[in-house]
Amino acid sequence: MNRINKWLVAMTLEEKVGQLNMLASSQAVTGPGNRRAVEEDIRAGRIGSLLNLWGGNQARAVQRIAVDESRLGIPLLLTLDVIHGHRTIFPVPLAEACLFDPDLWEKTARAAAAEATLDGIALTFAPMLDVARDPRWGRIVEGPGEDPWVASQFAAAKTRGFQGDDLGAAHSLAAVAKHLCAYGAVTAGREYASADLSDRTLREIYLPPFSAAVAAGTAAIMPAFIDIAGVPMTANAPLLQGWLRGQLGFEGVLISDYNAVAELLNHGVAKDIAEAAALALKAGVDIDMMSNAYTQGLPEALERGLVTMGEIDASVRRVLELKERLGLFDDPYRRGSAKPETGDARALAREAARRAIVLLSCKGDILPLSPDIGHVALIGPLAAAPGEMVGPWSSAGLGDDAVSFLDGLKAALPECRIDSASGVDVDSQSLQGIPAAVELCRNAELTVLCLGEDVSMSGEAASRTDLDLPGCQRTLAEKVLDLGKPVVVLLSSGRPLVSPWLFERADAVLATWFLGSEAGNAVADVLTGKFNPTGKLAITWPRNVGQVPVFYGQRPTGRPTKAGERYTSSYLDLPVTPQFPFGHGLSYSRFTLSDLRCSPSCAKPGESVEISLMVRNDSLADGEATLFLFVRDLVASVARPLLELKAFRKIALSVGEQGWVNWTLPIDSLNFVGLDLRPVLEPGQFEIHVGQSADPGELLTTIFELIP
Ligand code: NOJ
């Protein structure tokens, strides 16, 4: 009998339920009273995993209690939200999505795993794979943007990066794909609200990234807090048991979100804790994070016949199997002992950060800055704010270790005089500092305005309705712009900010998101032209909150938009087009696209077509172009979106250089969710569109036919 079977025979009910119980270990390290309670619970086998404890020594100490002092000596699973770096912080996921670079996505996850495992962590609650199209929702910052195909590539890359080739290796972290599913579709972008959407939308938009994570071997999955049309995901047997375990064959662990099992009472689907525990367990949720619903409710649920011992055993087995795969039974102290052979995490952070910056607008040749520039004013509440650079979910990363915009620019321009002032706070009503800040701008050759949100304004529980600059930042910006001197804006945020006035008036605006530990150096690289920007928006940028949700993959309508014409799909008071389309992002280079070809022009299921395109660098700067390949299925049994992303590719071209970009498009990838909600591939004509963004006016188009 293997050790898991032996344990299952030897365990008491309390010990079994203990393996399904995850508590926050901050209780174990912060309060002496609680510390004893948690330690006693570990000793008694009542806790199987902990979250929020890290550090080699702390991890070893707490593990020793489980291994040496509990009856069966089963090691603990130590877990943490390692979302975009651990000690070295990389750009927030929404910013990282703008890299459109699976290789870098994987590398930053690998580097995060190396640092987190050194701190004793074995599992991270990442990647977050919620497709999101509503920037009012604060958690849009944590995910890969609006597109399900991009999210699927992101899912695979991050899972590979965290888990490596061998989950048992000392520097591998178990990944948790979260939050299954449709959390990004909460009503009106309001945190923790319901989502109500069709089965088709679930299958087309929200489930594919999770299929991709499962295909990449994710060790665990976290159901979302929310309910979908009245069925809380924590108790959603059709999706968790039916789709995930049944259809996809997922055999890993399901971990509830924080307190979500007990919250089934608030949802109004369970009348007591035993019912809540039974609903979650029967839906397939193995680990109860933080709600104590399993410890309090499962024994009673068993007595009342709401669950069987077989169901409890199945969950315990999955948890023990995960611990085994992580190598915890062979060596519970493996993580936290050996320093990995990794590259330079700071250099990687700088590379990821400068690639995540999106040059949103740029008039004339204001950027890059002239190498002879002698006097700059760096103004705004985010100019010298290292703590704000790391963004939400910064794990063990410290703001003090991050490079501010001011420090980055000073290091890059040692000969230049740089005057700095905040002018206003991020979100206060005080105008006091504005006159002095404006005075600094009056005397400078150029002003860099550092505006946006602070870290608390995005992430969990940070939904907002007004997406313009918070506080009095607009007043500051307008006073500076009124001087009529050159102004470049660095816009820090976890979501697109809706400030059309700013894009109209400023000479250049860069989305600088929350770029992480190397933010200031990365921004200096781009401003000085040491690095030619390549970041592309992974999310459509609205002009007005009233347009939300606005995304590129719209379906055709019976009355297509015609600007200024009534009775077409439009608004009376605003264009339907966004401020910036998906994929938008300027460069100091200019690229010309030509010769889009598709060969052969007819193909059958199982075959593929070759698509090629010529790209020429028509500018005076070496640069890198990103090309997006979209398709449109012209006639199908279910109306297909006007554009659907199927691939992207980058090409580096020096001044005057040209090169071909080629794709092989498998015909089977053109399947869609048919009338019966099953995948179907239908013959007919498909348009192929290639461009540098989803802006329909900029796309090259060709056509091919799928024949039976
Ligand atoms: C709640 C969040 O929804 C989830 O994403 C996170 O992993 C847990 N808290 C643990 O911190």
Side-chain angles (χ1 to χ4, degrees), residues 363-427:
K363 295 180 187 158
D365 56 2
I366 180 102
L367 287 178
L369 299 176
S370 149
D372 308 323
I373 192 153
H375 188 180
V376 168
L378 195 78
I379 303 298
L382 295 156
E388 304 295 339
M389 302 292 108
V390 291
W393 295 114
S394 48
S395 198
L398 300 176
D400 287 350
D401 291 341
V403 182
S404 70
F405 296 143
L406 179 60
D407 287 342
L409 211 58
K410 274 185 175 165
L413 297 171
E415 306 296 318
C416 178
R417 171 174 163 190
I418 302 178
D419 295 333
S420 186
S422 62
V424 294
D425 293 334
V426 169
D427 194 16

Side-chain angles (χ1 to χ4, degrees), residues 307-327:
V307 296
T308 63
M309 190 61 96
E311 285 163 337
I312 295 178
D313 284 351
S315 284
V316 176
R317 179 182 293 282
R318 280 193 286 266
V319 172
L320 294 177
E321 279 170 356
L322 174 58
K323 291 183 176 183
E324 178 151 68
R325 287 181 66 205
L326 282 162

Side-chain angles (χ1 to χ4, degrees), residues 395-478:
S395 198
L398 300 176
D400 287 350
D401 291 341
V403 182
S404 70
F405 296 143
L406 179 60
D407 287 342
L409 211 58
K410 274 185 175 165
L413 297 171
E415 306 296 318
C416 178
R417 171 174 163 190
I418 302 178
D419 295 333
S420 186
S422 62
V424 294
D425 293 334
V426 169
D427 194 16
S428 87
Q429 294 308 311
S430 168
L431 302 172
Q432 250 179 358
I434 292 183
V438 173
E439 248 353 86
L440 294 182
C441 304
R442 196 187 302 282
N443 300 323
E445 287 167 54
L446 174 134
T447 296
V448 179
L449 271 177
C450 306
L451 307 173
E453 298 181 314
D454 65 32
V455 289
S456 72
M457 290 176 170
S458 51
E460 189 176 347
S463 292
R464 296 177 59 209
T465 56
D466 179 355
L467 302 184
D468 204 339
L469 291 170
C472 298
Q473 294 184 68
R474 178 167 182 171
T475 312
L476 169 70
E478 285 180 330

Side-chain angles (χ1 to χ4, degrees), residues 22 51-52 79-83 124-126 128 130 139 142 176 178-179 183 191-192 222-225 256-259 289-290 393 460-461:
M22 177 185 285
L51 73 151
N52 295 352
T79 70
L80 186 68
D81 288 281
V82 180
I83 308 290
T124 172
F125 303 113
M128 195 274 218
D130 293 305
R139 302 199 81 169
E142 294 176 48
V176 181
K178 71 183 188 185
H179 309 83
Y183 191 3
E191 185 62 301
Y192 312 131
M222 182 188 290
F225 283 125
S256 87
D257 204 344
Y258 202 102
N259 203 40
M289 182 199 285
M290 287 305 287
W393 295 114
E460 189 176 347

Side-chain angles (χ1 to χ4, degrees), residues 70-84:
S70 74
R71 188 174 78 91
L72 298 172
I74 301 176
L76 290 166
L77 179 65
L78 299 182
T79 70
L80 186 68
D81 288 281
V82 180
I83 308 290
H84 55 110

Side-chain angles (χ1 to χ4, degrees), residues 268-288:
V269 296
K271 73 174 179 304
D272 57 30
I273 205 73
E275 270 192 19
L279 276 176
L281 190 86
K282 284 185 106 66
V285 175
D286 301 307
I287 294 183
D288 167 12

